[in-house]
Structures are given as structure tokens and as C-alpha cells.
Amino acid sequence: MKNVSCALTIAGTDPSGGAGIQADLKTFQELKSYGMSVITSVVAQNTTGVKGVHHLPVDMLHEQLEAISSDMPVHALKTGMIATEEMMGIVAEWIAKMNVSYVMDPVMVTQSGDPLIEKDARLYLKHHLVPLASVLTPNIPEAEDLLGDKIETKEDMKQAAASIVEKLGCGAALMKGGHFQGEAVDYLFDGDRIHTFQSERIKTKNTHGTGCTYSAAITAYLSQGFPIVKAVEMAKYYVTEAVRHSFDLGHGSGPTNHFAVREGVVNR
Ligand SMILES: Nc1ncnc2c1ncn2[C@@H]1O[C@H](COP(=O)(O)OP(=O)(O)OP(=O)(O)O)[C@@H](O)[C@H]1O
Ligand SMILES: Cc1ncc(CO)c(N)n1
């Protein structure tokens, strides 16, 4: 049998297909990793926002995780929305036993401003999940929340990436500048130095699911054995092309386009 790279996402759903588990699986598929998913919460949402949320019972979360580890190889994994402390505890305990690259997207609030995790669970996330991560991928509001500092300049972004690694104990931090003005620039601190990943800012309102797509692409490349800096470089290219060719679907912020990368511009 041909070698297959297996990537797992542990996250909430998006029935409109642009973010969450659905975006992650599309990304894994496009980048040729075998995609697996464990659902934390079912979220009724679309391009305009969140309409309702149902958290799965924690024993069901545990059973899904065990169904994976008792049977399937996992070469890299990511987490997105994990809404409550209790759910975070189960996921953290399971991940601690897995010896694989772990990309943590510290999802807190959607682009439309809807909260995805309980406010009290943020401290738990910081102390119990972040230290397990090989790489954390916060946007600016998430990094401000984790560090308790304002991030206003590019220098602040670089400093935040380093502080996250040094103070919170993850392996690397990718500070995303999607919420900034000007060029779309992200900074990775890998425990040693800062690496810069920059693209032009594409003029579009259709950026639903960019964060999920980006962290899923990093996970796919890590599952294939690429080192972290190369994985981020290729994932940045993937998300940029997916935004450039994003779909004008729905009444709000439309989804990224995964086919765009397949048809032309391609990976690696
Ligand atoms: N308009 C744009 N043009 C080019 N790149 C963009 C644009 N918007 C976001 N990106 C890029 O997409 C990636 C995801 O960044 P972003 O900061 O938007 O994540 P996020 O806020 O976590 O996403 P989400 O809203 O899905 O949670 C980053 O590399 C960012 O630079
Ligand atoms: C389930 C889910 N995870 C992450 C995001 C990104 O904000 C979203 N909109 N929905």
C-alpha cells in the first residue's frame, strides 16, 4: 500500500461549508492528506453568523477520540472550537498521550462576532491546551486575550509571537495579521527566531473560514513530514490563493475557494 499521511481535526461544524470541520476536511483533501474529524459542537451557522450551538455530550467526545486512537494512525492533528472546560480537559488528556505534531487554532469568536467558547474556559485553554501545542495560530484579538496586552504594530506582533512561546510554553507561535491594515503579514516564532510570511491584502469581503483553512493546511503539511517553517510557507500560499478566488456565496462573508489552488497555482 502507498504511504498515506493522516491528518485529524477536532473542531465544531459549519453546515454552510466555509469554516470549522468542513473547511478543515476540504483542505486536507486538497493537500492530499487523509482527513479525519472529531466533532466537538454542532454549530448552526452560515456566512452571516451563528444561529445556534449544540455541544456534544463529553462521553461522546471521548468515544470519538478513542475510536480514532484505537484504530487509526494520526500523523498530525489540529484543534479548533472546543467550547467548555470539560471538553478541553478530555481533549487535552487525549492529545497528551498522542506523540504527534499538534496545531492549535485558539478559536474564541467568529468573524461575525459570535462567541464560540465559554468566557471562563479561556484560562483553562491557556493553561492546559496551549502548552501541548507544537504551534499556536492566534489572530490579533486571540493573542491579546492570551497575553493581556494590546497588539497595535508589526513590532507588537513579533513580540507577541515570542512571548506566547516563552510565557505560555507551546513549541512555536504563528501570529496572524488578517485583522491588520495593509499587507497580509504573519510572523512565526519557532523558539529560535522570527520568520515572516507576507502576501498582498486581497480586496474581498469573502474571508469566512480563512483561519480554519490556514491551520488545516499547516496540519496537512506537517502530517506529510514537512518541517514547521516550510509547512507554514506552503500553507500561507494555499490560504492566499483560496482567498484570492473566494466564492461570492451567501449573504455575508463568503467562503474561501479550495479548488483555486488545485487548478493552476498548485502546492509544492
Ligand atoms: N483579505 C485578505 N487577503 C489576503 N490574505 C488574507 C486576507 N484576510 C485574511 N488573510 C490571511 O488569512 C490567514 C488567516 O488569518 P486571519 O487573521 O484572518 O485568521 P482568523 O481571524 O483566525 O480567521 P477566522 O476569521 O476564520 O477565525 C492569514 O494568513 C491572513 O493574513
Ligand atoms: C465551528 C467554527 N470554528 C471556527 C470558526 C472560525 O471563526 C467558525 N466560524 N466556526
Side-chain angles (χ1 to χ4, degrees):
M1 193 189 73
K2 222 176 134 213
N3 276 348
V4 58
S5 303
C6 298
L8 169 68
T9 171
I10 302 169
T13 66
D14 174 6
S16 72
I21 287 272
Q22 283 82 353
D24 296 341
L25 287 175
K26 289 177 187 184
T27 307
F28 293 162
Q29 181 76 10
E30 282 302 310
L31 294 180
K32 300 185 172 57
S33 283
Y34 178 81
M36 299 180 287
S37 59
V38 164
I39 292 173
T40 53
S41 301
V42 177
V43 184
Q45 63 172 313
N46 58 27
T47 64
T48 67
V50 173
K51 320 298 168 191
V53 181
H54 171 73
H55 305 322
L56 288 199
V58 286
D59 55 347
M60 198 54 214
L61 177 58
H62 187 248
E63 277 187 61
Q64 290 181 81
L65 293 166
E66 288 300 314
I68 299 280
S69 51
S70 63
D71 195 35
M72 301 296 282
V74 179
H75 299 117
L77 65 90
K78 69 159 272 188
T79 58
M81 173 191 184
I82 310 173
T84 69
E85 259 184 51
E86 203 182 5
M87 296 173 110
M88 287 176 189
I90 285 177
V91 172
E93 196 184 325
W94 186 82
I95 290 178
K97 289 189 288 196
M98 305 288 291
N99 191 20
V100 292
S101 296
Y102 166 31
V103 181
M104 181 186 180
D105 188 0
V107 169
M108 293 179 185
V109 176
T110 63
Q111 251 175 32
S112 45
D114 300 296
L116 288 178
I117 76 169
E118 287 176 357
K119 215 164 171 81
D120 294 348
R122 291 181 180 198
L123 266 189
Y124 193 92
L125 175 142
K126 177 162 140 178
H127 294 300
H128 297 270
L129 274 171
V130 173
L132 296 173
S134 317
V135 55
L136 194 78
T137 65
N139 61 24
I140 289 174
E142 289 157 357
E144 288 180 336
D145 190 278
L146 288 168
L147 290 169
D149 287 330
K150 273 270 163 229
I151 299 171
E152 287 167 337
T153 64
K154 288 183 177 168
E155 274 318 304
D156 292 349
M157 283 175 69
K158 292 183 202 169
Q159 186 54 54
S163 298
I164 284 172
V165 172
E166 280 154 13
K167 294 187 184 153
L168 308 186
C170 49
L174 177 64
M175 192 59 249
K176 298 178 295 187
H179 294 245
F180 239 34
Q181 308 297 328
E183 302 285 277
V185 60
D186 311 323
Y187 297 106
L188 174 76
F189 182 71
D190 62 0
D192 180 28
R193 66 183 189 90
I194 293 281
H195 304 262
T196 303
F197 304 90
Q198 185 162 327
S199 74
E200 77 270 38
R201 176 165 301 276
I202 295 146
K203 251 187 112 175
T204 177
K205 65 173 175 45
N206 301 327
T207 53
H208 180 60
T210 49
C212 304
T213 299
Y214 196 19
S215 55
I218 297 169
T219 308
Y221 287 126
L222 291 177
S223 78
Q224 294 163 22
F226 286 98
I228 180 70
V229 177
K230 188 68 188 165
V232 173
E233 182 194 319
M234 294 191 295
K236 174 71 171 170
Y237 176 75
Y238 185 86
V239 73
T240 304
E241 293 312 310
V243 172
R244 192 190 311 284
H245 301 278
S246 56
F247 294 115
D248 219 358
L249 290 176
H251 296 94
S253 172
T256 59
N257 176 353
H258 300 263
F259 304 137
V261 191
R262 184 197 302 174
E263 280 163 8
V265 255
V266 169
N267 30 27
R268 280 179 267 162

